[in-house]
Amino acid sequence: MSTKIPVAVLAATGSVGQRFVQLLDRHPLFEVVALTASDRTTGQKYGQACHWILPGDMPGWAAEMTLLPTEAASAATPLAFSALPAEAALEIEPEFARAGTLVCSNASAYRNEPDVPILLPEVNPDQAAILEAQRRRRGWTGGIVTNSNCTSTGMTVALKALQDAFGLRRVFAVSMQALSGAGYPGVSALDIVDNVIPWIRGEEEKVEWEPRKMLGSLRGEEIVPADFRISAHTNRVAVVDGHMVCLSIELANPATPEEAARVLAEYQAPEAARDLPSAPRPVIVVRREPDRPQPRLDRMTGNGMATVVGRVRPDPLFDIKMVVFSHNTIRGAAGGSIYNAELLARLKVIGR
Amino acid sequence: MSTKIPVAVLAATGSVGQRFVQLLDRHPLFEVVALTASDRTTGQKYGQACHWILPGDMPGWAAEMTLLPTEAASAATPLAFSALPAEAALEIEPEFARAGTLVCSNASAYRNEPDVPILLPEVNPDQAAILEAQRRRRGWTGGIVTNSNCTSTGMTVALKALQDAFGLRRVFAVSMQALSGAGYPGVSALDIVDNVIPWIRGEEEKVEWEPRKMLGSLRGEEIVPADFRISAHTNRVAVVDGHMVCLSIELANPATPEEAARVLAEYQAPEAARDLPSAPRPVIVVRREPDRPQPRLDRMTGNGMATVVGRVRPDPLFDIKMVVFSHNTIRGAAGGSIYNAELLARLKVIGR
Amino acid sequence: MSTKIPVAVLAATGSVGQRFVQLLDRHPLFEVVALTASDRTTGQKYGQACHWILPGDMPGWAAEMTLLPTEAASAATPLAFSALPAEAALEIEPEFARAGTLVCSNASAYRNEPDVPILLPEVNPDQAAILEAQRRRRGWTGGIVTNSNCTSTGMTVALKALQDAFGLRRVFAVSMQALSGAGYPGVSALDIVDNVIPWIRGEEEKVEWEPRKMLGSLRGEEIVPADFRISAHTNRVAVVDGHMVCLSIELANPATPEEAARVLAEYQAPEAARDLPSAPRPVIVVRREPDRPQPRLDRMTGNGMATVVGRVRPDPLFDIKMVVFSHNTIRGAAGGSIYNAELLARLKVIGR
Amino acid sequence: MSTKIPVAVLAATGSVGQRFVQLLDRHPLFEVVALTASDRTTGQKYGQACHWILPGDMPGWAAEMTLLPTEAASAATPLAFSALPAEAALEIEPEFARAGTLVCSNASAYRNEPDVPILLPEVNPDQAAILEAQRRRRGWTGGIVTNSNCTSTGMTVALKALQDAFGLRRVFAVSMQALSGAGYPGVSALDIVDNVIPWIRGEEEKVEWEPRKMLGSLRGEEIVPADFRISAHTNRVAVVDGHMVCLSIELANPATPEEAARVLAEYQAPEAARDLPSAPRPVIVVRREPDRPQPRLDRMTGNGMATVVGRVRPDPLFDIKMVVFSHNTIRGAAGGSIYNAELLARLKVIGR
């Protein structure tokens, strides 16, 4: 008999939903028992309803599962991974949380709430403790834990290492983001072949704020954002997977590029997050070639869970320039949520 | 009998050389009388030796011309357009200058010299006056006038409008640059399909320095760079033509995005540069859509000579964020050199 | 007072509708007096409702027009260009035809009807005569004239020249088609970056049949398809505009590649179609380089109206191999319809 | 002590050479003891001299190896994998063969020789027997075994299954080939972004001939090509890895698409080739979706060693239409050579 934790994937047919199904195949801790979808396809087999867009075949067990409606009544597992769009998440995720499900969510709907953590196990596992206050306040027996916007993820991991060592003052961030970040069908091919789109709706606001919350601190029953500022430009480019971010960073205590590179390369996740199945080892891979990271070559570093940093060099205005890269649908979405759930399982806060 | 000024195109078979040939077809002031190439192909017809990579056919007159060696002896016209690589330019351009040719050069070889202007007619036509000192000092009867690196061009035009109105302090610039900027064959397709390369050799140094020289001032016999600083990250993306630059700008005197956008849209070239054949009208096109400029849609604005600005908005660290776009092989290379020559013809400094 | 023929563009906001608006700007014979759209946007200005995706700005006159519903009642012009999807066309185009409008349609809805011509002025202007029978039979005072599927267009022009000279027996056709052929948003970027899709719904059937109708003959009141056979494979590739087709052709009377190339290069449109504003001159451009045609370089040949043929060479199974290229949204869609209308205006069958 | 067969990789720094190094990492039968390169880089470490362009890091053992000159004197192993260009192979491979090395070659130099097999273990392992005659005739103690051109590989596997079941008469083949097939740097990005190149030097000739030799039979001391004919068009598209071929096939004994699909899906490699480490199982994957195979999704099927077939359907001129896909640098190059060597090791013809 399986002792794995039974989980549901909410909105399993979309591009992030598919990544969940792929990454949960043969997962050591979790067993998918429910796949949900929008009304249009419930009742169909996942194999029929889902236009699978990932390399490799859909796992056989998933193909055979019957899609359920996205309702707490039908899919009340102790743990659920949510790939719901923000609007739907706003209503549906609390329903699950109330019914006792701990929801690990990719949606932005609740990221702004001071009692909902944006969790990044390598960075802020301590913020998981806010769950207790969340449950008490809201009368939930489950809860909502989010992961950050896919662009914020990699840069926050890198900023954490620098924050610990030197402190942060100001950060310029310019992203070149992959197509899969916009879902499927997402971006029209006519908009991106031989082109760049210098705008992604709502993205700059998220990138300017989410890292500050993740790098903030728990004070009483609230998470207080860290005291530094970010300016972001976000762009879409013709890349399938993997977000690249150019960073210029002003530190509180100046450091040389060599010192910064060393601190990045040696960064260790906090104890609680270290030996989990999805934990990348090392957390940050620092590349020394002049022209790396590159999406096509570096996206699967650490099974797509590592943060890759390159081109650490002096900045004529601030202190350090560098390029940060991470896989947007693995580290920045489905893989990140699963890593969060692994942390929460270890902390024994699932399924009370 | 033609009263046009006879010109040579040096290194006419490469990607910038081809743009020169294309843009000089039926030019009202200039007539191509010599096309030069490397030794390997001299003596052949241009039509045979040149693998034409631009849409539209090679002009018939060019196809029939016999390629000359790139030597002052064989191609001594009053005016020459140079598409030479930097190393070759270092030696060859002064030869022509000594022989009485005014060389309008795309090469970076002489841009750093304090008596060689980096000319941008909309921005600093006054710096053409340094030619006199250059000739006297160096004993040349011709001279060398350069145009800037293709990434610096558009951003310098935009910065000029803001400098005049508000003064400049600090600028962050992150580029996403087109393939044609690397010449032909240039970038390997394997390096850019489904990819971004976050590095272009020597480019960041140029972008951090050239705009300051162009926006500087003439003091005695030298051009003194403007007193503001730039930090640049330069990236290569899978776009055929057109460089995009994300800018965050700290002004000396703060302005709102609306004020900045107005100043940009109303910017006029100095009198001397206004009614020239290649002059874009308006100089700067400010787009109001949230997602423009875009390379595929905006590259031919003003026949590829206009600077296109979009997304003018507040910056949380500095004052203004915006995106600047211009065509790298037209405005940023061949078209820019021709525009420079038109200015120099008007100023009557060609062919003494 | 304008003596131009007033025209409507049906479904003006989509990708083909935009091409109509662009190509009808300053047209010598036609003046756009009505732009129609789906209910969702009627009443709005075209400039607001339409997300313009073509390089260059939307014409000012179009931006200011108010979108009408696509109904004969509101847009009863003597001539209409239809960019309606097939299903909508099935119902709406006859309404217009009944009300006296001659509809030049891009839709496939009526192409199969024996009294509806698929018109290609360079190829079968004589088939326009079927309009009389169409009107009589159906009791229409207007009518419906279609242009072919965008992939069939170029290859039919080339096949016509060979049919006239040598007769046709069997044709293998494998297409590599552009993204704009699928409309906007059309193909998802995730489906085509670093990819090829070897299937386009319904396309192979059209390519195997339409050329035979266009190359057929008028017998009594019906168009009888030509007696040769086609096998087609159709593929989508990451190209913005322009469909390429590899052809292997078995002729009735064998010819050498040289003879075939000469016949193609010398092909002339029938008299009636020769001097129309949109007529390409020459009809077919035969390229002699080993590696042409290519979409990026050849798409605008003859303002996008020419058929470009290259690589004419022997075929080990049939007689001749070659590659045919034409612009799918100009020659193969909007431009083709306008060319048809120019022919019909000359034949004086518009607006009785 | 290792009992693996020591092998050399000739021309190890190029794109196929890198695949060899990657695929030989931890190979159960072979151990790389020599990496060779052109004179320019011999003496350097592989890790320094080689610009690694594959996702994932270069194996550590390879990075540390010192590059040898490509000479039999310095790299005389019983087995060598050759990624040499055709011209170099012409001279160098026989040197190795004479010195006792069995060369598994990707080069086309010797494919035409009647005593040199083009080996495809799933298809013609019996042709390995010609090695004996080759050695005797040429006085070699080693030998040369080639693998086919990367485009011929997948289609030949599929044709073999049909040949066995129904016999072959005529085949039309139109390829859409990946960039990696042209090596590195290979295709210029400017030639392929938003483009297709309808020509690959020398490729159509190979595709029209090599499958016939591989599907031919051993008669006495020569391989006699099979008696059917092929017409090929070859095209380059903007895909990183994986060649797609559209086929129309005339069979000797007609079959329905269903029968053909069954025969393809059930095809088994000859006994000798079945249980080798690189053998794909199944040999051919038949996909039933209307729009597969696709390069991005199907390239890694069977670790890149399987042949993927889709869209099996009737052909209006011949019998069957279908699309064949296989990975060009794995199945069609390095992986294919290694699979050949595994077969030769089993047949005990290495290292006499």
Side-chain angles (χ1 to χ4, degrees), chain C residues 169-172 174-176 190-200 204 208 229-235 237-241 244 246-248 250 290-297 299 311 313 315-318 321-323, chain D residues 169-172 174-176 190-200 204 208 229-235 237-241 244 246-248 250 290-297 299 311 313 315-318 321-323:
Chain C
R169 282 249 173 88
R170 297 193 285 185
V171 176
F172 266 104
V174 179
S175 71
M176 288 165 285
L190 279 176
D191 282 334
I192 207 68
V193 169
D194 183 22
N195 212 12
V196 169
I197 310 175
W199 179 64
I200 299 170
E204 291 174 355
E208 292 182 350
R229 278 176 305 145
I230 302 173
S231 166
H233 298 244
T234 59
N235 302 284
V237 294
V239 162
V240 174
D241 287 315
M244 185 115 85
C246 294
L247 293 176
S248 282
E250 189 181 41
D291 62 349
R292 298 287 278 268
Q294 291 180 19
R296 195 171 74 77
L297 299 179
R299 59 172 64 120
R311 304 204 68 220
R313 59 205 196 282
D315 185 282
L317 296 186
F318 289 174
K321 276 181 197 170
M322 56 193 228
V323 180
Chain D
R169 283 249 173 86
R170 298 195 283 185
V171 176
F172 267 104
V174 179
S175 72
M176 288 166 285
L190 279 174
D191 282 334
I192 207 70
V193 170
D194 184 21
N195 212 11
V196 169
I197 309 174
W199 179 64
I200 298 169
E204 291 174 354
E208 292 181 350
R229 277 177 304 145
I230 303 173
S231 166
H233 298 245
T234 58
N235 302 284
V237 293
V239 161
V240 174
D241 287 315
M244 185 116 83
C246 294
L247 294 176
S248 282
E250 189 180 41
D291 61 351
R292 299 286 280 268
Q294 291 180 20
R296 196 172 71 77
L297 299 180
R299 60 172 64 120
R311 302 203 70 218
R313 58 204 196 283
D315 185 281
L317 296 186
F318 288 174
K321 276 181 196 168
M322 57 193 226
V323 180

Side-chain angles (χ1 to χ4, degrees), chain B residues 299-327:
Chain B
R299 59 172 66 121
M300 290 309 294
T301 306
N303 296 320
M305 289 297 290
T307 296
V308 186
V309 172
R311 304 203 68 218
V312 186
R313 59 206 195 283
D315 185 283
L317 295 186
F318 288 173
D319 292 282
I320 303 284
K321 275 182 197 168
M322 59 194 225
V323 180
V324 172
F325 176 83
S326 73
H327 195 300

Side-chain angles (χ1 to χ4, degrees), chain C residues 333-345:
Chain C
S337 274
I338 294 171
Y339 189 11
N340 282 348
E342 292 164 4
L343 173 70
L344 297 169

Side-chain angles (χ1 to χ4, degrees), chain B residues 82-305:
Chain B
S82 165
L84 289 165
E87 267 176 69
L90 202 62
E91 256 189 86
I92 295 173
E93 289 179 3
E95 268 184 44
F96 277 82
R98 209 170 295 124
T101 300
L102 186 55
V103 181
C104 287
S105 173
N106 272 278
S108 61
Y110 289 93
R111 287 185 201 145
N112 284 355
E113 299 290 307
D115 63 349
V116 174
I118 310 178
L119 212 56
L120 211 49
E122 310 95 311
V123 165
N124 62 357
D126 58 304
Q127 294 191 12
I130 199 91
L131 252 183
E132 205 171 326
Q134 183 194 105
R135 285 169 170 170
R136 195 174 52 246
R137 270 198 202 168
R138 299 180 186 249
W140 293 346
T141 54
I144 297 176
V145 164
T146 65
N147 49 325
S148 70
N149 159 282
C150 49
T151 309
S152 302
T153 310
M155 62 183 270
T156 302
V157 174
L159 290 175
K160 167 66 174 173
L162 299 176
Q163 183 193 39
D164 283 3
F166 314 111
L168 296 171
R169 284 249 173 84
R170 297 194 284 185
V171 176
F172 267 102
V174 179
S175 71
M176 288 165 285
Q177 302 185 213
L179 299 163
S180 59
Y184 182 84
V187 178
S188 164
L190 279 175
D191 281 335
I192 207 68
V193 169
D194 183 21
N195 212 13
V196 169
I197 309 175
W199 178 64
I200 299 170
R201 189 185 297 274
E203 192 82 352
E204 291 174 355
E205 295 76 356
K206 293 176 192 163
V207 173
E208 293 181 349
W209 186 80
E210 293 184 8
R212 295 182 50 221
K213 178 168 180 182
M214 288 186 273
L215 297 171
S217 48
L218 211 55
R219 297 217 193 118
E221 305 213 335
E222 300 212 342
I223 296 162
V224 180
D227 185 27
F228 69 98
R229 277 176 305 146
I230 302 174
S231 165
H233 298 245
T234 59
N235 301 284
R236 186 78 65 193
V237 293
V239 161
V240 174
D241 288 314
H243 288 356
M244 185 115 85
V245 187
C246 295
L247 294 176
S248 281
I249 302 165
E250 188 179 46
L251 302 166
N253 302 297
T256 65
E258 292 67 35
E259 290 165 341
R262 192 170 37 72
V263 155
L264 289 160
E266 294 175 357
Y267 180 73
Q268 302 241 8
E271 189 67 34
R274 250 177 239 175
D275 297 314
L276 298 169
S278 298
R281 272 169 299 271
V283 174
I284 299 170
V285 172
V286 178
R287 301 212 61 116
R288 304 295 179 162
E289 301 91 334
D291 61 351
R292 298 285 281 270
Q294 292 179 20
R296 195 171 72 77
L297 299 179
D298 295 311
R299 59 172 66 121
M300 290 309 294
T301 306
N303 296 320
M305 289 297 290

Side-chain angles (χ1 to χ4, degrees), chain D residues 251-310:
Chain D
L251 302 167
N253 302 296
T256 64
E258 291 68 33
E259 290 164 341
R262 192 170 36 75
V263 155
L264 289 159
E266 294 175 357
Y267 181 74
Q268 301 239 9
E271 189 67 34
R274 248 176 239 174
D275 297 315
L276 299 169
S278 298
R281 270 171 299 269
V283 175
I284 300 171
V285 172
V286 178
R287 302 212 60 117
R288 306 292 180 164
E289 301 92 331
D291 61 351
R292 299 286 280 268
Q294 291 180 20
R296 196 172 71 77
L297 299 180
D298 295 310
R299 60 172 64 120
M300 290 311 292
T301 307
N303 296 319
M305 288 298 289
T307 296
V308 187
V309 172

